[in-house]
Amino acid sequence: MNKIHLLDEKTVNKIAAGEVVERPASIVKELVENSIDAGSKNITVEILEGGIPYIKVTDDGCGMNEIDAVLAFERHATSKIKSDEDLFNITTLGFRGEALASIAAVSKVVLQTKEENETFGTRLVVEGGKILEKTRCGCQKGTSVEVKDVFFNTPARRKFLKRPSTEAMYVTEVVTRLCLSNPGISFKYVKDKKVQFITSGNGSIEDVILRLFGKEIHSALIFSEFEAEDLKVKAFATKNFLNYSNRNMQFFYVNGRYVKNKTLSAAVDEAFKTYVPSDRYPGVFLYLEINPRFIDVNIHPSKLEVKFSDDRRIFESVYRTIREALRESNLIPEVKLEKDLKNEEGQIGEQVKLSLPLFEVKEKTDDGAIFVREEVKTEEKIDKAPKHESSSDSERNVKRLSDIRIVGTLFSTYVIVEKGDVFYIIDQHAAHERILYEKLVSQYERVQSRQVTFPIVVELQPGDMEIVGQERELLYKLGYVFEEFGNNSVVLREVPVILGQPEAKKLFVEIVERLRDKDFSSKVSFKEEEIATMACKAAVKAMDTLSENEIYKLFEDLKIAENPYTCPHGRPVIISMTKTQLEKMFKRIK
Ligand code: ADP
Ligand code: MG
C-alpha cells in the first residue's frame, strides 16, 4: 500500500500560515508593512485584548481595485515584484505575497479598500481562506483590514498564545519599532479603546522618540552620524546617566528594517564602556544604511537577524559614531525636584537647557576628519596632563579656573563648586580615579613602573606559578616585573609607579586570583579592567582631606579628561543642580 499523498490546499495553507503568523503581533506587523508599502501617510492600529479577538489597521495609501483586492488573498500574489530578477532590488517591506493569504487562512478578515479615482470601494469578507462576500462599499481612499478571532480554526496554535496583556505587549513592541523607522508617517495606536500614542509624521526621529517615550528620554538624547561611500550610520543615544537594566530601549535598523544583531550590541556596549556600569544599558536608536551587497540576503525577511560581510568595519563605525557623540556632550546629570520631573514627563515641547557645561563641549570640525582628530587629542593630553602629586603650578590653575568658585568640601568626600547659576558636586575619589585611569590607559604599551627598594615577596597558591609564568607579558604591561623565588613564591622587582608597596602587593595577588578564573581572564578587556582597579587603589579616598590646591589640580585634570563624567566603573563623577531648583525647594519661586 502506498503511503504518500499530496496534502489538500487547506492544509498546505495552514502550514504555510504558521510561518508568517505566529501571534497577533505578527499580523499587525504584516498589515502595517503593507500600509507602508502602499505609500500611506496616516496609519491607525487598533487592538482589543492583545489582538486575539480583534485587530484593525486603517491606512490612506494607494488602495486596491476590485480585481486586485480578490487576488491579494491568493498565495504568492504580489504587486511588488514581477520576476526573480527583481529579487535583487527590493525596495518594499513585503514581496513574497504570502501575508494576506496566511492571515486569512487562520482568522476572519474584513477588507475594505478603494483606489483614489474610483467611485466605489470593495468590501470582502474572508474566513479561513475562503471569500464569503464581495460587495461594493463607500469608503475613503486607502485600505482597512479587520482581523477577528485569530487561530479560530487552529485551536492547537491558539493554545500557545500567552495572556492578552502579554500579546498586547508584543503588539506594542511591533508598532513601536515601525514608528521609529517611519518618522514620515503619522501612526495612531489604540489599545483596548485607549489611544496610546500618536506620532506626528513630520519626519523627525527625535519627535517620534518624544511621542513614544516622553520628555525625560528626549531631553537626554545625543546625536551623531557618520557617512562613507557605502555606509551611513545615524545614532541617537541617551546620555549615560539615563540607563536601563536591559536592552529593551535599544533599537537597531538596517536599511529601514528592525534587526537584532550581536555586532551592533557589542559596538554600543564598547562605546558606553566606563560611561555606564557594566550591568546597565543606555537607550540607543541606531540607523544603518548599507549597500545591500554587504548584507547576507539569504535571511528570511520575517526573521530579525542580519549578517554583515564585514563585521569589523560595522563595529568600528558604530562604536566611533556613538563615542564621538559622548565626547562632544555635556554629560553632567542634573538634580531635579521629583515634581519637576513628573511635569516634564507629561508635557510635550521644547526642552529648556538649564545646566551650563562645566567642561567646554568639544568642537566639531566640518571637514569630516573626526577620527583623525581623536588621535591627535589623545597625544596632546599625554603631554599636558599635569601630575596630581605636584602642585607647584597651582597659580596657573587658579587663573584658568577663575570662572568657578570652590565652595568647600562636604563630608570630606564631595567637593562643591559654583559657576554662574549652577552648582556642581564632585565625588573626589571617583574624579581622581577617572583621571588616573585615563593616564594609565594612555601609557599604552605599558603602565609606568618603578623598581622597589626592598624586594616584595608574594606567596602564591599551588598552581599559580604556572599562571604567572604564562601571563608574564600581561603582568609586565600592567607594570609588574618579578622573579621566581622558591617553589610557591615570587619576588616583585618592579611595581606600578602610582601604587605604594602594600597596594602594589595586594593588587598583584588579586590579579593572579582573577587570572585563575579562566572566563574572566580571557576577556579582551582584562587589562583595562585591571587598570581600573589600579586607578581605584591609587586614587584619593573619600574622607581624605584635600588642600585647596589639590582640589584645583583635580579640576584642571578633570577638565582635560576624555570623559570627566564617570569613573571607570561607570558611576558618576559629577552632578549638578541649578539655583532655580534650590529656590523652588525653599519655595522662593514656584
Ligand atoms: P506582499 O506584501 O508580500 O506583496 P501581501 O500578501 O502582504 O504580500 O499583500 C499582497 C498584495 O496586496 C500586495 O502586493 C499589495 O499589492 C496588496 N496590498 C496588501 N495590503 C495593501 C494595502 N494596505 N494597501 C494597498 N495594497 C495592499
Ligand atoms: Mg505584505
Side-chain angles (χ1 to χ4, degrees):
M1 193 182 84
N2 50 344
K3 287 173 274 186
I4 299 177
H5 55 264
L6 289 172
L7 294 171
D8 64 60
E9 198 192 317
K10 219 172 112 195
T11 315
V12 170
N13 282 350
K14 275 193 191 175
I15 292 172
E19 286 171 21
V20 181
V21 183
E22 201 187 333
R23 53 178 9 108
S26 24
I27 296 180
V28 171
K29 175 173 180 277
E30 293 296 336
L31 295 180
V32 174
E33 287 189 347
N34 279 347
S35 298
I36 295 168
D37 284 346
S40 310
K41 286 276 155 256
N42 295 280
I43 299 173
T44 302
V45 179
E46 294 160 84
I47 59 162
L48 293 177
E49 293 166 47
I52 305 166
Y54 187 79
I55 297 167
K56 184 176 187 185
V57 175
T58 312
D59 69 47
D60 60 354
C62 65
M64 289 173 270
N65 66 21
E66 190 185 315
I67 296 168
D68 281 347
V70 171
L71 265 177
F73 286 95
E74 294 281 326
R75 188 159 302 283
H76 308 304
T78 180
S79 58
K80 298 168 194 175
I81 55 172
K82 289 219 168 72
S83 70
D84 61 344
E85 275 159 46
D86 296 343
L87 279 174
F88 300 97
N89 192 20
I90 288 164
T91 53
T92 53
L93 293 164
F95 62 88
R96 299 159 69 96
E98 279 188 322
L100 281 181
S102 300
I103 294 165
V106 295
S107 65
K108 301 169 183 170
V109 175
V110 179
L111 171 118
Q112 290 200 51
T113 185
K114 187 176 98 63
E115 283 185 333
E116 177 126 57
N117 297 324
E118 302 213 318
T119 329
F120 293 104
T122 306
R123 182 171 187 275
L124 294 180
V125 180
V126 191
E127 212 175 287
K130 280 219 160 59
I131 297 182
L132 301 185
E133 273 179 43
K134 189 179 82 180
T135 47
R136 280 183 164 185
C137 68
C139 59
Q140 300 278 311
K141 170 208 166 202
T143 305
S144 75
V145 183
E146 282 174 284
V147 178
K148 293 173 201 159
D149 283 334
V150 176
F151 296 144
F152 80 99
N153 54 354
T154 47
R157 310 211 41 214
R158 192 169 177 135
K159 261 200 292 200
F160 275 98
L161 293 180
K162 307 227 172 90
R163 279 180 299 160
S165 61
T166 311
E167 292 299 334
M169 218 181 63
Y170 289 129
V171 174
T172 305
E173 219 170 71
V174 159
V175 179
T176 300
R177 288 169 186 171
L178 287 162
C179 287
L180 284 165
S181 52
N182 295 280
I185 297 173
S186 167
F187 287 89
K188 181 174 173 186
Y189 176 45
V190 187
K191 194 175 90 180
D192 295 318
K193 304 209 184 279
K194 281 195 209 89
V195 177
Q196 304 295 303
F197 53 72
I198 302 176
T199 64
S200 71
N202 69 1
S204 150
I205 292 166
E206 271 178 276
D207 215 63
V208 177
I209 297 171
L210 176 66
R211 305 285 177 121
L212 260 43
F213 305 112
K215 180 93 185 171
E216 193 189 6
I217 292 188
H218 182 257
S219 63
L221 284 180
I222 50 178
F223 173 73
S224 169
E225 60 190 327
F226 165 78
E227 202 172 329
E229 197 190 323
D230 40 29
L231 173 69
K232 263 194 225 171
V233 181
K234 256 209 270 188
F236 294 87
T238 59
K239 289 183 179 178
N240 56 327
F241 50 80
L242 190 60
N243 52 56
Y244 307 88
S245 60
N246 55 43
R247 288 189 195 279
N248 288 354
M249 281 302 292
Q250 299 191 347
F251 297 84
F252 305 152
Y253 295 89
V254 175
N255 295 349
R257 266 179 207 282
Y258 175 85
V259 299
K260 290 197 184 286
N261 178 273
K262 288 229 168 73
T263 304
L264 298 178
S265 308
V268 167
D269 289 355
E270 190 63 22
F272 272 90
K273 195 154 167 189
T274 84
Y275 280 83
V276 294
S278 56
D279 58 347
R280 304 289 297 178
Y281 303 89
V284 175
F285 308 88
L286 184 66
Y287 298 84
L288 264 66
E289 293 293 331
I290 179 168
N291 187 324
R293 269 192 305 140
F294 302 117
I295 305 176
D296 186 342
V297 287
N298 279 326
I299 287 178
H300 193 287
S302 74
K303 295 265 162 59
L304 303 174
E305 287 117 53
V306 61
K307 271 194 199 134
F308 302 112
S309 60
D310 189 350
D311 267 327
R312 248 197 89 98
R313 176 161 180 245
I314 300 291
F315 178 93
E316 280 289 304
S317 310
V318 170
Y319 161 75
R320 281 162 183 259
T321 305
I322 296 178
R323 195 74 171 189
E324 184 72 6
L326 283 169
R327 283 168 54 96
E328 292 184 350
S329 305
N330 169 26
L331 302 177
I332 304 175
E334 192 190 327
V335 180
K336 280 185 188 158
L337 293 173
E338 214 159 285
K339 185 185 94 204
D340 282 11
L341 282 174
K342 284 211 188 91
N343 284 347
E344 285 183 1
E345 201 50 47
Q347 89 198 34
I348 288 167
E350 269 305 289
Q351 170 207 4
V352 196
K353 254 223 163 101
L354 286 172
S355 60
L356 306 166
L358 180 60
F359 311 103
E360 301 94 62
V361 173
K362 282 136 198 167
E363 275 166 48
K364 213 178 187 152
T365 51
D366 344 342
D367 59 9
I370 37 178
F371 302 145
V372 178
R373 197 165 56 81
E374 189 171 87
E375 276 142 38
V376 174
K377 268 224 167 106
T378 321
E379 262 170 34
E380 267 173 27
K381 193 178 64 197
I382 301 167
D383 288 348
K384 284 190 199 151
K387 281 208 178 77
H388 179 71
E389 303 89 66
S390 80
S391 49
S392 58
D393 49 358
S394 60
E395 244 174 72
R396 181 175 60 95
N397 292 338
V398 177
K399 254 186 236 133
R400 280 181 56 176
L401 297 169
S402 57
D403 51 345
I404 67 162
R405 188 175 77 83
I406 293 177
V407 179
T409 305
L410 202 57
F411 313 129
S412 309
T413 303
Y414 304 103
V415 178
I416 299 183
V417 170
E418 173 189 343
K419 180 184 177 174
D421 274 354
V422 188
F423 71 95
Y424 299 88
I425 307 175
I426 294 114
D427 180 326
Q428 65 183 36
H429 170 70
H432 196 201
E433 203 180 343
R434 162 56 65 182
I435 292 160
L436 292 178
Y437 174 77
E438 288 196 7
K439 207 157 97 183
L440 291 172
V441 168
S442 71
Q443 294 166 1
Y444 185 70
E445 274 307 312
R446 191 186 173 209
V447 167
Q448 215 183 337
S449 70
R450 64 183 167 87
Q451 297 198 330
V452 293
T453 20
F454 299 102
I456 307 174
V457 179
V458 185
E459 276 189 40
L460 297 173
Q461 308 244 338
D464 282 354
M465 199 56 107
E466 207 180 313
I467 294 171
V468 295
Q470 275 166 13
E471 301 294 347
R472 191 176 283 275
E473 175 75 16
L474 174 72
L475 288 161
Y476 176 77
K477 283 185 175 161
L478 288 167
Y480 286 98
V481 173
F482 59 91
E483 283 159 25
E484 290 186 18
F485 187 68
N487 269 348
N488 263 332
S489 308
V490 293
V491 53
L492 303 182
R493 296 288 179 204
E494 287 179 30
V495 297
V497 79
I498 62 162
L499 293 179
Q501 295 230 358
E503 277 92 22
K505 182 175 170 178
K506 249 205 249 156
L507 180 65
F508 187 85
V509 173
E510 283 177 30
I511 295 174
V512 175
E513 265 168 28
R514 281 189 282 267
L515 283 173
R516 226 183 277 144
D517 179 357
K518 267 273 171 304
D519 272 356
F520 190 73
S521 56
S522 61
K523 272 168 73 175
V524 262
S525 53
F526 188 81
K527 184 180 158 209
E528 261 125 65
E529 276 165 33
E530 289 310 322
I531 286 178
T533 312
M534 198 181 290
C536 179
K537 285 196 186 320
V540 295
K541 300 281 175 296
M543 309 303 285
D544 284 353
T545 309
L546 301 186
S547 71
E548 189 141 310
N549 274 342
E550 282 174 314
I551 293 174
Y552 275 121
K553 195 86 199 74
L554 203 61
F555 262 98
E556 189 69 356
D557 288 354
L558 209 52
K559 273 186 95 165
I560 54 170
E562 185 195 327
N563 166 11
Y565 308 106
T566 55
C567 83
H569 306 101
R571 288 188 292 270
V573 162
I574 181 165
I575 61 177
S576 71
M577 192 163 172
T578 60
K579 188 176 164 201
T580 315
Q581 285 292 327
L582 213 56
E583 286 176 330
K584 280 184 186 171
M585 285 173 125
F586 285 105
K587 310 277 183 220
R588 284 172 172 270
I589 57 169
K590 280 213 184 106

